[in-house]
Amino acid sequence: MNKYVEKFVNESAALTKPDKIVWIDGSKEQIEALRKEACSTGEMIKLNQELLPDCYLHRTAVNDVARVEGRTFICTEKKETAGPTNNWMQKDEAYKMLKEIYDGSMKGRTMYVIPYSMGAIGSKFSKIGIELTDSIYVVLNMCIMTRVSSKVYDALGDSDDFVKGLHAKADIDEEKRYICQFPEDNTIMSVNSGYGGNVLLGKKCFALRIASYQGWQQGWMAEHMLILGLEKPNGETKYIAAAFPSACGKTNLAMLIPPKEYLEKGYKIHTVGDDIAWIRVGADGRLYAINPENGFFGVAPGTNEKSNPNALASTKKGTIFTNVCHNLENNTVWWEGLDKNPPKKAVDWKGNPWTPDTVDADGKPVKAAHPNSRFTAPAVNCPCISSEFENPEGVPLDAIIFGGRRAKTTPLVYESKSWENGVFIGSIMASETTAAAAGAVGVVRRDPMAMLPFCGYNMGDYFAHWLDMKNKSDKLPKIFNVNWFRTDENGHFIWPGFGDNMRVLDWIIKRCEGAVDADETAIGFVPKAEDINIDGLDINIETLKGLLDVDKDMWKSEAEGIEEFYTKFGDKLPETLRAELESLKANLAK
Ligand code: SAT
Ligand code: MN
């Protein structure tokens, strides 16, 4: 056994005092035994094995259903390292405070030791983590979301280069819930939660918060991005990475099915990843991306045969459902937006009996599934998974897309004028908040590169790191911004979205190939309306022009918002970005 792993396990066990320690090897037999055990205690429910083989349902505590940004900390020696957008705790103080909470927290429980690899085991891109947890639910989810295997120890050898993650459910006490990242020590400590993003430590805590810090130190990037391959009728595949905040449709875009007109011509979309991209400069100077994950932790509500058939198909075997509705008619699952046949006899996400007529004390309909209920599905289940999914070299990027959820202001698509301008566009991203994080929903907030909750260091340095990629690569992808969410005066979405987003990807690829012209506006290059293919859509060219419109007055107040946001960063804000803002203001004044 690697002596650093041994020391980590021994020290953590001395602190948390579990009754026993179980070493996870990811084998079928071990997984099956854990499923059985979880079902015997009610932690999981075995679903209809004919309709949903190897699928299970789990409910978290009612107070524990989303990431908790207010209780997520970057713990470093100095506050400046964490920067103005992160909660910070001095790291020694954090360790001290946490040790008290962890002390004896696993008494009467089992500690599981999970060896996992983010990225294919042994790939240059990949990184190793060891998560210790007292939750079988976490073990089983990690076995889907990451590569869990004893082979990880072989890849690690006698090195100390792994991320230490310690998770304890403790009492699921909200007041003592902490999700702490120690990027200077490759350490994560998560306590008093049992919900996905807080406890599957390979995901946001490692693959984004710790990895973004590592990338900054080592010259690569960890981003909150899906990765897709767009295959053209001539067989050539272009790769796109796209950053959107949580629950803004990354999984849907990554698994998009092109509209009929495109399918007939031979266009296809291949999914490489739906949430996280690790990006490095390759030997040829291009940017290459891998998806470090091995599964999809997708939002269930709204996923259906029409919106995302590939995601739905991915959930038909070996999937864990969290906080969805339990359909008692046939022991399967249901959620709002799955179909128009809600079960007549069911249990809601809180564990209460539910029918379509169930109302609360105020007479309002009760939701069967939590809006942030999730499926954890193996990537191999996805019908459109890319042949490059396991490629240890990653895929070369042709375009990077930023996108948010904005009812107004931001046009359907525009292209940056340069890499620097593209970084500026990423840095000013704003989006309406969603149920993926605890707190108000629908409030516009700045979320640079969709990394606000996930950047493990000072965001001013993060912007500088993005700009610095220009010194590392002379073949950088083009940068675009999209917004599928513009609404009309009645609050209805104007753009159909989903599969029809292919039409926008088509324009983006054409721009990368220099095949179409565009109009230069104050904010960047906007398509000529006739270059977006709307054949077969209910939208006419005038509506499309409206979607592409850049309203100078709205953008003037946007520029004021950006200016205010930028002041947070003080002298950490790169001069290049300040100059970009000045140039935007000058363009708007013209
Ligand atoms: O809950 S997760 O953080 O894993 C998903 C998300 O919010 O993007
Ligand atoms: Mn995400």
Side-chain angles (χ1 to χ4, degrees):
M1 180 42 65
N2 175 299
K3 65 174 191 244
Y4 303 103
V5 174
E6 207 165 23
K7 182 165 179 264
F8 172 48
V9 173
N10 288 341
E11 285 176 2
S12 304
L15 174 64
T16 57
K17 307 179 179 65
D19 282 11
K20 63 173 183 184
I21 298 177
V22 170
W23 297 75
I24 298 299
D25 58 20
S27 67
K28 271 206 173 110
E29 300 72 39
Q30 197 181 42
I31 288 176
E32 202 41 52
L34 288 171
R35 286 168 169 166
K36 261 211 180 101
E37 190 181 334
C39 289
S40 75
T41 61
E43 185 178 352
M44 300 217 301
I45 296 167
K46 190 172 191 164
L47 295 167
N48 184 324
Q49 295 297 296
E50 257 150 59
L51 298 172
L52 297 169
D54 293 329
C55 291
Y56 292 80
L57 169 66
H58 171 80
R59 295 187 199 105
T60 63
V62 173
N63 74 11
D64 190 27
V65 294
R67 281 184 293 104
V68 277
E69 294 179 0
R71 309 207 59 95
T72 300
F73 291 82
I74 300 298
C75 308
T76 50
E77 192 61 54
K78 295 204 182 76
K79 185 170 188 339
E80 196 192 29
T81 313
T85 58
N86 280 312
N87 299 314
W88 173 79
M89 247 189 271
Q90 204 288 331
K91 70 177 182 184
D92 300 318
E93 281 166 29
Y95 283 130
K96 197 164 151 252
M97 187 246 341
L98 288 166
K99 278 185 179 143
E100 272 168 39
I101 303 176
Y102 279 90
D103 191 2
S105 62
M106 293 193 192
K107 270 188 195 149
R109 297 180 186 173
T110 301
M111 173 191 274
Y112 300 94
V113 182
I114 314 172
Y116 65 97
S117 176
M118 300 309 291
I121 297 174
S123 147
K124 269 200 312 269
F125 271 91
S126 299
K127 297 263 172 198
I128 288 171
I130 305 290
E131 175 165 356
L132 312 181
T133 178
D134 55 359
S135 158
I136 297 181
Y137 170 76
V138 168
V139 174
L140 294 173
N141 272 275
M142 285 294 284
C143 287
I144 299 173
M145 291 307 296
T146 72
R147 278 100 170 161
V148 172
S149 163
S150 355
K151 287 199 196 106
V152 165
Y153 295 120
D154 302 335
L156 183 62
D158 52 18
S159 158
D160 65 350
D161 186 11
F162 64 92
V163 170
K164 299 186 277 253
L166 177 59
H167 165 245
K169 285 185 290 190
D171 311 309
I172 313 289
D173 177 352
E174 280 175 286
E175 302 299 317
K176 290 189 183 155
R177 185 170 297 159
Y178 288 98
I179 320 298
C180 291
Q181 294 46 216
F182 300 78
E184 291 158 344
D185 305 343
N186 273 352
T187 295
I188 304 160
M189 297 180 82
S190 162
V191 67
N192 274 305
S193 173
Y195 166 77
N198 300 330
V199 299
L200 308 180
L201 301 186
K203 196 173 179 56
K204 307 298 186 177
C205 304
F206 178 173
L208 288 176
R209 296 194 191 102
I210 299 279
S212 61
Y213 178 88
Q214 294 178 331
W216 174 47
Q217 303 279 305
Q218 299 164 6
W220 54 281
M221 306 166 93
E223 298 297 330
H224 192 203
M225 291 177 175
L226 67 91
I227 310 164
L228 65 80
L230 186 155
E231 185 181 333
K232 301 197 301 175
N234 67 4
E236 187 193 0
T237 301
K238 301 281 190 182
Y239 291 95
I240 299 176
F244 296 80
S246 300
C248 286
K250 279 200 300 299
T251 307
N252 291 341
L253 185 62
M255 299 181 188
L256 169 159
I257 295 187
K260 199 168 94 270
E261 297 77 2
Y262 282 86
L263 285 175
E264 281 166 1
K265 285 192 198 134
Y267 285 92
K268 289 186 193 117
I269 295 289
H270 306 284
T271 308
V272 182
D274 79 329
D275 195 38
I276 297 174
W278 285 359
I279 304 172
R280 285 172 190 267
V281 182
D284 61 359
R286 298 182 71 186
L287 294 190
Y288 283 76
I290 65 154
N291 167 14
E293 300 191 281
N294 202 29
F296 308 116
F297 188 62
V299 179
T303 304
N304 60 50
E305 228 13 281
K306 243 188 106 199
S307 66
N308 194 342
N310 287 319
L312 200 58
S314 307
T315 67
K316 296 298 179 189
K317 56 179 189 225
T319 293
I320 300 172
F321 298 92
T322 304
N323 293 339
V324 300
C325 165
H326 189 192
N327 179 349
L328 295 181
E329 289 170 12
N330 57 3
N331 191 24
T332 61
V333 289
W334 189 82
W335 49 77
E336 278 72 19
L338 173 64
D339 55 37
K340 298 216 162 74
N341 303 308
K344 310 244 155 25
K345 194 164 168 243
V347 176
D348 71 10
W349 68 273
K350 291 182 179 168
N352 297 322
W354 185 93
T355 74
D357 304 320
T358 306
V359 288
D360 64 14
D362 302 325
K364 284 211 210 85
V366 168
K367 282 214 181 345
H370 187 274
N372 191 38
S373 54
R374 300 265 171 168
F375 52 79
T376 317
V380 288
N381 284 3
C382 181
C384 60
I385 194 75
S386 165
S387 58
E388 304 307 296
F389 174 67
E390 297 277 356
N391 186 341
E393 306 296 323
V395 295
L397 296 180
D398 293 285
I400 287 176
I401 299 177
F402 296 119
R405 194 183 269 274
R406 293 296 295 272
K408 300 270 174 295
T409 317
T410 314
L412 179 62
V413 57
Y414 67 105
E415 178 193 330
S416 65
K417 298 179 187 180
S418 61
W419 180 258
E420 292 83 347
N421 180 238
V423 175
F424 172 71
I425 288 171
S427 79
I428 66 167
M429 259 173 75
S431 192
E432 292 155 24
T433 51
T434 69
V441 168
V443 183
V444 175
R445 71 165 182 186
R446 298 265 154 219
D447 187 353
M449 284 82 171
M451 282 288 279
L452 184 70
F454 307 122
C455 182
Y457 61 107
N458 193 311
M459 205 150 224
D461 289 326
Y462 170 79
F463 294 153
H465 183 44
W466 263 86
L467 290 166
D468 188 44
M469 292 312 284
K470 187 137 183 215
N471 303 319
K472 298 188 164 70
S473 159
D474 55 359
K475 298 189 188 76
L476 288 166
K478 277 184 180 287
I479 298 179
F480 298 81
N481 193 90
V482 301
N483 175 25
W484 318 132
F485 301 96
R486 280 236 316 226
T487 54
D488 62 19
E489 51 286 355
N490 302 317
H492 298 132
F493 293 122
I494 306 172
W495 180 249
F498 300 106
D500 287 309
N501 292 334
M502 178 71 196
R503 301 165 189 275
V504 174
L505 299 184
D506 183 22
W507 181 81
I508 285 173
I509 293 303
K510 287 202 175 107
R511 284 297 290 172
C512 292
E513 295 176 332
V516 284
D517 213 354
D519 290 327
E520 186 165 353
T521 71
I523 61 169
F525 296 110
V526 171
K528 294 185 180 298
E530 59 275 17
D531 288 331
I532 302 265
N533 178 354
I534 49 173
D535 292 351
L537 280 189
D538 261 353
I539 281 187
N540 62 32
I541 191 106
E542 288 312 313
T543 313
L544 181 60
K545 280 183 183 159
L547 280 167
L548 295 170
D549 175 53
V550 177
D551 182 306
K552 279 200 175 173
D553 288 332
M554 280 189 197
W555 273 94
K556 279 181 191 158
S557 65
E558 192 72 8
E560 280 168 26
I562 298 165
E563 182 126 44
E564 191 193 319
F565 179 63
Y566 269 5
T567 56
K568 274 188 189 220
F569 300 97
D571 56 13
K572 278 280 185 195
L573 184 79
E575 269 313 310
T576 311
L577 293 188
R578 185 165 304 286
E580 285 289 336
L581 174 58
E582 289 314 315
S583 138
L584 171 67
K585 289 202 295 199
N587 291 342
L588 291 167
K590 267 184 208 158

